[in-house]
Amino acid sequence: MSGAACGPEWMPATIRRKLFGWFFEASCIKHDDGYREGGNEARRLACDWKFFRAMLRDTARTKGLMVVPKFGIAVSFFLAVRLGGWGSFKYG
């Protein structure tokens, strides 16, 4: 992920915003800031966990039937950054 929007950094930012950033964009940008600051694996886990909690807060503010798909997207984003985020995290 880059600071431009949620989603994989290989995808153009305009497409990422349309597909992924419509709801969690602020959380994604904050998460990316943490990845740029870097650190060790414990720091990466902390960044990912904060990201997940921020997305859950956004989801909790949702009314009606949109809660279910937004919760699913939050879980999916969290799993994606845990599995693939190591390549974007600034270790050291």
Side-chain angles (χ1 to χ4, degrees), residues 13-34:
T14 54
I15 295 172
R16 285 185 282 153
R17 271 189 214 97
K18 288 180 184 181
L19 293 178
F20 306 112
W22 54 274
F23 187 68
F24 296 124
E25 188 166 18
S27 299
C28 290
I29 290 169
K30 194 76 169 157
H31 179 255
D32 291 349
D33 291 344

